Amino acid sequence: MRVNCAVLLIILLIASITGRQSQTGISSKTRIVLLGTGTPGPDPDRSGPATAIVVNDTAYLVDFGPGVVRRASAAFRDKGIAALEPTKLRVAFVTHLHSDHTVGYADLIFTPWTVGRRVPLEVYGPKGLKHMTEHLLEAYSVDIETRTNPDGNQRTFPQGHNVNAHEITAGVVYKDTNVTVTAFATKHAMESYGYRFDTADRSIVISGDTNPIRSTIDACNGCDVLIHEVHTPAALATRPETFQQFAGKYHSTTAQLAQLAQQAKPRLLILYHWVALSREELFDDMRARYAGLFVVGRDLDIY
Ligand SMILES: [Zn+2]
Ligand SMILES: [Zn+2]
């Protein structure tokens, strides 16, 4: 009888914890917010590459293409993602230092600060990140000086524009109570990494820019979500010969991605940083090659 009471007590305790979780369920579940699905082309509907992994009301950014802070602000205002309120942006990972992935860096450093971020930004990425960071801070020295001097409007929290830049190598690069982040080397025109996020409820892999490579397959290996770049052959055929050669070495076609995804076996494949004649052309081309579940990413989609 005493045993039964103990069991009942445990069941009641679990029910009460589950009940509490379900009330706040939306905030405890890992979500992917596509902040920018674009490419270097300045398409007003597709911001530069930037993705947020949101866990327990904390956002972890991957890449900061142009428009990153305004898209985060839109996700907060229009989609109710509290973690993407700009002053809360404080951890970011960069896949590589191409401008389309980093033009929003100054925005990410300074905009949240001017509206109230009080802590330094923590940024992780390949060699050269520290150099880029130092130069950006130097480039904005007049702004920093005038905002933090005795007459300045940010003098009460002068740390908010600081950046701790961490240059990484492959392996676990970040860990806290929400997430473990593992970097893996990819194949692009410079030192580049993809990232795997492991949280309590999901495994998510993001490719950055890359040729199809074994390390992406191994990083996913049946993961919940693979977010991967892609180019359709029809779109590539419209580009200059030099870009076609470049893409052949450093990007992925739909045929290559289909083959990669068949081996990586993600439960969901999200296409981002996509180059195609149109969204429909990309969908049809991929559908013809890949039988698994996939979506063509759109800015501010949430998965
Ligand atoms: Zn690139
Ligand atoms: Zn790119």
Side-chain angles (χ1 to χ4, degrees):
M1 188 62 190
R2 202 173 287 161
V3 172
N4 284 348
C5 280
V7 170
L8 185 66
L9 191 63
I10 289 166
I11 290 170
L12 285 173
L13 266 173
I14 290 170
S16 121
I17 290 165
T18 310
R20 275 208 299 276
Q21 276 182 344
S22 67
Q23 282 167 17
T24 57
I26 192 98
S27 64
S28 63
K29 198 167 148 256
T30 304
R31 284 166 295 170
I32 299 162
V33 184
L34 304 181
L35 297 176
T37 61
T39 63
D43 181 342
D45 297 325
R46 298 174 63 207
S47 215
T51 307
I53 311 297
V54 177
V55 195
N56 292 327
D57 289 331
T58 302
Y60 304 85
L61 299 182
V62 181
D63 287 334
F64 24 78
V68 57
V69 177
R70 274 161 173 72
R71 281 289 198 260
S73 191
F76 166 63
R77 189 191 63 185
D78 303 337
K79 307 275 181 173
I81 310 287
L84 288 169
E85 194 278 314
T87 62
K88 293 187 179 168
L89 301 176
R90 54 174 198 84
V91 183
F93 302 84
V94 61
T95 59
H96 65 297
L97 299 182
H98 261 151
S99 57
D100 54 319
H101 297 250
T102 55
V103 162
Y105 197 10
D107 190 18
L108 186 60
I109 295 171
F110 294 104
T111 309
W113 177 46
T114 61
V115 294
R117 185 180 59 212
R118 291 160 186 254
V119 297
L121 193 61
E122 303 291 334
V123 186
Y124 299 78
K127 221 169 271 89
L129 178 65
K130 286 185 177 179
H131 188 71
M132 178 182 268
T133 306
E134 283 160 17
H135 283 260
L136 275 175
L137 292 171
E138 176 62 25
Y140 282 88
S141 58
V142 171
D143 176 88
I144 294 167
E145 202 284 316
T146 52
R147 287 181 193 277
T148 54
N149 72 24
D151 194 33
N153 59 339
Q154 310 308 117
R155 63 186 181 280
T156 48
F157 39 101
Q159 300 305 310
H161 73 278
N162 286 356
V163 184
N164 294 319
H166 310 267
E167 292 184 348
I168 61 163
T169 53
V172 173
V173 294
Y174 182 91
K175 198 172 169 52
D176 65 15
T177 53
N178 289 327
V179 68
T180 299
V181 184
T182 308
F184 56 95
T186 52
K187 185 186 170 211
H188 196 47
M190 59 180 80
E191 184 180 348
S192 60
Y193 296 97
Y195 293 98
R196 174 176 167 124
F197 288 74
D198 286 286
T199 73
D201 63 322
R202 282 178 116 181
S203 52
I204 298 161
V205 173
I206 183 161
S207 69
D209 291 7
T210 183
N211 215 217
I213 186 166
R214 182 79 224 172
S215 61
T216 311
I217 297 169
D218 293 342
C220 174
N221 189 26
C223 61
D224 291 314
V225 185
L226 172 62
I227 307 168
H228 205 289
E229 68 121 292
V230 72
H231 294 55
T232 67
L236 278 176
T238 68
R239 303 295 300 276
E241 182 60 30
T242 47
F243 183 78
Q244 292 188 37
Q245 285 168 4
F246 179 86
K249 284 192 286 186
Y250 300 128
H251 287 293
S252 303
T253 64
T254 41
Q256 290 171 324
L257 178 56
Q259 211 173 28
L260 181 141
Q262 273 151 23
Q263 297 174 70
K265 297 187 181 0
R267 291 176 64 195
L268 171 66
L269 170 65
I270 300 176
L271 310 184
Y272 89 129
H273 197 291
W274 50 267
V275 174
L277 299 179
S278 68
R279 170 178 296 277
E280 293 70 30
E281 189 260 335
L282 172 57
F283 183 85
D284 292 345
D285 191 85
M286 198 65 196
R287 178 79 300 160
R289 302 172 192 276
Y290 181 61
L293 182 63
F294 76 92
V295 292
V296 179
R298 216 184 274 270
D299 285 22
L300 294 176
D301 275 354
I302 300 170
Y303 292 97

